[in-house]
């Protein structure tokens, strides 16, 4: 049945299929997620003072506007990260901007932080009846902003009362100039402002896999210096390993199976650079229990998935949670 449903979804334009999936998850969650339930039961993990029901989280990007949180928890995730949310609504980049690379089990996107604005998303979060797992809110800056540090500070300020943790996203390749904020001293200014705005809410930083070793070491050191609670390694890549799909030449960030080796290597580099001072969350190319185990063995406390849901199905979170219990 899962293969039949996937084949049906694959007949739709990728962005239309994405919207249909979010609507279906929202309806299912609103009905109490029958035959699903909350996060898969496993050994809880403590990070940044938070107790995660299991080690598997949903990465930001799937539920950009916090519309389907209950349904996503119903799939077994111990943590769900929504966003990226910006201070003001924005349409994102021109369509088409989302591409399936079926032969490679990958996705290329150049969405550009399309979202309805943080206020609308926070209103939905405030109406949630229950939150059985950990909720993260991923914040970013508007494309046309003249003061991106101020955008991040505002996002953190607004998200803090509603989030279990907040992620600073400076690693998307689809907003021009955004990745420049991963480098010092710009990153120091940004993290200082975010730290001042967060109150007591844990703060995570998400970096790109395209940073060289020196760049990653600088980001790790800045995160430690500014008391960031965890580093998410990593976002999509602008690099292009060998790919078989016709859409391989599309511009944007590549995610999914081809990112596996690079993401794992960057996790190891981050572990070495942090010397155990900074908890690590691994994302990128995790497509099942075996790879999730490798990331935990390589130094990650938690793992996140996104693109693999498209190719491996809605049972992915529960299978990984059970394997990592």
């Amino acid at each position: 049945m899962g293969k039949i449903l996937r084949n049906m979804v694959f007949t739709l334009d990728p962005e239309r299929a994405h919207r249909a999936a979010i609507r279906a998850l929202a309806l299912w969650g609103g009905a109490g997620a029958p035959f699903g339930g909350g996060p898969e039961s496993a050994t809880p993990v403590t990070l940044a003072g938070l107790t995660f029901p299991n080690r598997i989280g949903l990465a930001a990007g799937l539920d950009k506007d916090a519309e389907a949180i209950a349904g996503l928890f119903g799939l077994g995730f111990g943590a769900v990260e929504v966003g990226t949310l910006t201070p003001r609504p924005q349409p994102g980049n021109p369509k088409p901007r989302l591409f399936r690379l079926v032969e490679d089990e990958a996705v290329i996107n150049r969405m550009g932080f399309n979202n309805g604005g943080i206020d609308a998303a926070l209103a939905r979060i405030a109406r949630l009846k229950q939150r059985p797992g950990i909720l993260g809110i991923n914040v970013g800056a508007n494309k046309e902003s003249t003061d991106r540090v101020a955008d991040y500070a505002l996002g953190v300020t607004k998200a803090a009362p509603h989030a279990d943790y907040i992620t600073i996203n400076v690693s998307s390749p689809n907003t021009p100039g955004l990745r420049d904020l991963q480098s010092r001293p710009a990153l120091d200014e940004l993290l200082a402002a975010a730290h001042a705005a967060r109150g007591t809410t844990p703060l995570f930083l998400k970096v790109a896999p395209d940073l060289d070793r020196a760049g990653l070491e600088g980001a790790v050191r800045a995160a430690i210096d500014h008391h960031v609670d965890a580093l998410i390694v990593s976002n999509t890549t602008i690099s292009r390993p060998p790919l078989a799909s016709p859409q391989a030449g599309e511009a944007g960030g590549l995610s999914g199976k081809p990112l596996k080796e690079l993401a794992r290597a960057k996790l190891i580099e981050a572990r070495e650079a942090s010397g155990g001072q900074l908890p690590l969350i691994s994302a990128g190319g995790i497509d099942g229990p075996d790879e999730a185990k490798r990331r935990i063995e390589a130094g990650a406390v938690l793992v996140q998935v996104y693109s693999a849901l498209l190719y491996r199905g809605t049972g992915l979170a529960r299978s990984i949670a059970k394997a990592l219990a």
Side-chain angles (χ1 to χ4, degrees):
M1 180 61 70
K3 289 183 179 179
I4 293 172
L5 290 173
R6 192 190 78 164
N7 290 339
M8 290 174 61
V9 169
F10 278 18
T11 64
L12 298 175
D13 166 80
E15 192 162 347
R16 287 183 62 195
H18 185 176
R19 287 301 310 152
I22 291 296
R23 286 194 294 269
L25 283 165
L27 289 170
W28 183 59
F35 311 108
E40 176 65 33
S41 178
T43 306
V45 178
T46 300
L47 172 63
L50 303 172
T51 300
F52 290 74
N54 58 50
R55 292 182 185 266
I56 176 69
L58 177 73
L62 180 66
D63 191 4
K64 293 178 179 294
D65 284 300
E67 298 172 280
I69 294 170
L72 291 164
F73 278 125
L75 297 181
F77 288 102
V80 169
E81 189 171 315
V82 299
T84 297
L85 296 169
T86 55
R88 298 171 300 284
Q90 63 181 23
N93 292 324
K95 299 178 183 179
R97 54 192 181 180
L98 182 63
F99 307 90
R100 299 186 199 98
L101 281 67
V102 177
E103 294 85 349
D104 302 292
E105 293 191 21
V107 172
I108 290 176
N109 93 83
R110 49 175 181 264
M111 305 297 285
F113 286 174
N114 57 305
N115 72 109
I118 194 168
D119 291 334
L122 294 180
R124 293 187 192 94
I125 291 169
R127 292 193 296 268
L128 282 174
K129 296 178 181 178
Q130 61 178 349
R131 220 151 76 187
I134 298 297
L135 179 65
I137 298 180
N138 186 299
V139 299
N142 283 104
K143 180 179 180 180
E144 304 301 331
S145 176
T146 58
D147 189 343
R148 287 182 170 171
V149 171
D151 273 16
Y152 280 100
L154 180 60
V156 171
T157 298
K158 290 189 171 189
H162 302 273
D164 292 312
Y165 71 85
I166 302 166
T167 296
I168 300 294
N169 184 1
V170 289
S171 51
S172 170
N174 301 315
T175 298
L178 189 81
R179 285 190 169 192
D180 295 343
L181 294 173
Q182 295 179 110
S183 302
R184 310 183 86 166
L187 185 56
D188 291 289
E189 181 186 0
L190 171 58
L191 292 180
H195 180 76
R198 71 173 178 168
T200 59
T201 305
L203 192 68
F204 297 176
L205 174 67
K206 188 170 187 175
V207 295
D210 304 310
L211 290 172
D212 61 18
R213 182 176 285 270
L216 183 56
E217 288 175 353
V220 166
R221 180 48 51 190
I224 293 170
D225 290 348
H226 292 280
H227 310 289
V228 167
D229 295 283
L231 188 73
I232 302 177
V233 189
S234 53
N235 210 322
T236 59
T237 181
I238 57 173
S239 68
R240 291 293 184 269
L243 298 169
S245 301
Q247 300 86 356
E250 295 289 347
L254 173 71
S255 59
K257 191 173 181 178
L259 187 54
K260 184 183 296 186
E261 301 295 333
L262 177 60
R264 192 189 313 127
K266 290 301 172 180
L267 171 65
I268 294 169
E269 285 185 18
R271 183 197 67 199
E272 293 170 350
S274 68
Q277 296 182 67
L278 184 64
L280 303 173
I281 299 170
S282 187
I286 298 172
D287 55 4
D290 290 343
E291 185 60 24
K293 286 180 180 179
R294 294 188 72 176
R295 302 297 174 92
I296 299 298
E297 292 167 356
V301 179
L302 305 169
V303 297
Q304 291 183 337
V305 300
Y306 173 6
S307 299
L309 281 173
L310 177 64
Y311 297 103
R312 300 304 170 96
T314 54
L316 180 65
R318 293 192 183 280
S319 67
I320 292 177
K322 290 177 182 177
L324 298 182

